[in-house]
Amino acid sequence: MDRISAIRNVEEALRAFESGEADLAATEERVLATLRTYATEFDDESGLGAYVGRGAEGVEDVVVIASSRAEARDRIGDHAPDAPDSFDVERLD
Protein backbone atom coordinates (compact mmCIF):
# COMPACT_ATOMS: atom_id res chain seq x y z
CA MET A 1 0.00 0.00 0.00
CA ASP A 2 1.44 3.37 -0.93
CA ARG A 3 1.20 6.51 1.18
CA ILE A 4 -1.68 8.02 -0.82
CA SER A 5 -3.77 4.85 -0.46
CA ALA A 6 -3.06 4.74 3.27
CA ILE A 7 -4.11 8.38 3.69
CA ARG A 8 -7.30 7.76 1.71
CA ASN A 9 -8.14 4.75 3.87
CA VAL A 10 -7.64 6.79 7.04
CA GLU A 11 -9.76 9.63 5.63
CA GLU A 12 -12.55 7.17 4.81
CA ALA A 13 -12.41 5.79 8.34
CA LEU A 14 -12.64 9.31 9.78
CA ARG A 15 -15.56 10.17 7.51
CA ALA A 16 -17.43 7.08 8.69
CA PHE A 17 -16.75 8.06 12.30
CA GLU A 18 -17.86 11.67 11.76
CA SER A 19 -21.07 10.59 10.05
CA GLY A 20 -21.93 8.12 12.79
CA GLU A 21 -21.50 5.05 10.58
CA ALA A 22 -18.68 3.78 12.82
CA ASP A 23 -17.87 4.10 16.50
CA LEU A 24 -14.47 4.98 17.96
CA ALA A 25 -13.38 1.36 18.45
CA ALA A 26 -14.19 0.43 14.85
CA THR A 27 -12.43 3.57 13.60
CA GLU A 28 -9.33 2.82 15.67
CA GLU A 29 -9.28 -0.74 14.37
CA ARG A 30 -9.58 0.41 10.75
CA VAL A 31 -6.85 3.06 11.11
CA LEU A 32 -4.55 0.61 12.89
CA ALA A 33 -5.09 -1.99 10.17
CA THR A 34 -4.25 0.61 7.52
CA LEU A 35 -1.08 1.64 9.34
CA ARG A 36 0.03 -1.96 9.86
CA THR A 37 -0.53 -2.76 6.19
CA TYR A 38 1.36 0.36 5.13
CA ALA A 39 4.28 -0.38 7.46
CA THR A 40 4.61 -4.07 6.63
CA GLU A 41 4.39 -3.47 2.88
CA PHE A 42 6.77 -0.51 3.03
CA ASP A 43 9.24 -0.51 0.16
CA ASP A 44 11.20 2.57 -0.75
CA GLU A 45 13.78 3.28 -3.46
CA SER A 46 15.99 4.98 -0.87
CA GLY A 47 16.79 1.63 0.73
CA LEU A 48 14.50 2.05 3.70
CA GLY A 49 12.51 -0.97 4.79
CA ALA A 50 10.26 -2.24 7.54
CA TYR A 51 11.87 -4.26 10.32
CA VAL A 52 10.29 -6.07 13.26
CA GLY A 53 11.69 -7.02 16.65
CA ARG A 54 11.69 -10.72 17.52
CA GLY A 55 12.64 -13.06 20.31
CA ALA A 56 12.15 -10.93 23.41
CA GLU A 57 9.04 -9.80 25.25
CA GLY A 58 9.81 -6.07 25.19
CA VAL A 59 10.44 -5.90 21.44
CA GLU A 60 8.22 -8.62 19.96
CA ASP A 61 6.20 -7.19 17.05
CA VAL A 62 7.65 -3.64 17.34
CA VAL A 63 7.88 -2.46 13.71
CA VAL A 64 10.09 0.42 12.53
CA ILE A 65 11.32 1.82 9.23
CA ALA A 66 15.11 1.89 8.88
CA SER A 67 17.94 1.71 6.36
CA SER A 68 19.69 -1.30 7.96
CA ARG A 69 19.30 -4.02 10.57
CA ALA A 70 21.60 -2.10 12.92
CA GLU A 71 19.57 1.10 12.59
CA ALA A 72 16.36 -0.90 13.05
CA ARG A 73 17.75 -2.48 16.22
CA ASP A 74 18.58 0.98 17.61
CA ARG A 75 15.15 2.35 16.70
CA ILE A 76 13.33 -0.63 18.18
CA GLY A 77 15.36 -0.19 21.37
CA ASP A 78 14.38 3.49 21.46
CA HIS A 79 10.67 2.64 21.10
CA ALA A 80 10.70 -0.26 23.54
CA PRO A 81 12.12 1.01 26.84
CA ASP A 82 12.01 -2.50 28.33
CA ALA A 83 14.07 -3.92 25.45
CA PRO A 84 16.63 -6.47 26.58
CA ASP A 85 20.27 -6.20 25.51
CA SER A 86 19.84 -9.06 23.06
CA PHE A 87 17.03 -9.50 20.52
CA ASP A 88 16.59 -10.34 16.87
CA VAL A 89 15.53 -8.00 14.08
CA GLU A 90 13.82 -9.30 10.94
CA ARG A 91 13.24 -7.37 7.71
CA LEU A 92 9.66 -7.57 6.48
CA ASP A 93 9.48 -8.19 2.73
Side-chain angles (χ1 to χ4, degrees), residues 42-78:
F42 189 86
D43 188 22
D44 188 79
E45 292 178 12
S46 67
L48 294 173
Y51 293 83
V52 63
R54 296 282 190 229
E57 185 176 329
V59 300
E60 191 70 29
D61 297 328
V62 174
V63 176
V64 298
I65 302 298
S67 61
S68 68
R69 289 175 67 87
E71 182 182 359
R73 190 177 196 298
D74 290 343
R75 286 189 177 188
I76 290 170
D78 290 345

Side-chain angles (χ1 to χ4, degrees), residues 6-89:
I7 291 169
R8 285 184 183 140
N9 286 340
V10 170
E11 287 176 340
E12 289 173 12
L14 292 174
R15 267 192 232 102
F17 176 71
E18 291 168 348
S19 70
E21 296 173 20
D23 66 4
L24 180 59
T27 303
E28 289 174 333
E29 186 176 320
R30 188 169 172 188
V31 170
L32 181 58
T34 298
L35 180 57
R36 286 191 183 275
T37 301
Y38 174 77
T40 57
E41 292 180 358
F42 189 86
D43 188 22
D44 188 79
E45 292 178 12
S46 67
L48 294 173
Y51 293 83
V52 63
R54 296 282 190 229
E57 185 176 329
V59 300
E60 191 70 29
D61 297 328
V62 174
V63 176
V64 298
I65 302 298
S67 61
S68 68
R69 289 175 67 87
E71 182 182 359
R73 190 177 196 298
D74 290 343
R75 286 189 177 188
I76 290 170
D78 290 345
H79 290 287
D82 296 331
D85 292 335
S86 177
F87 61 89
D88 294 327
V89 175

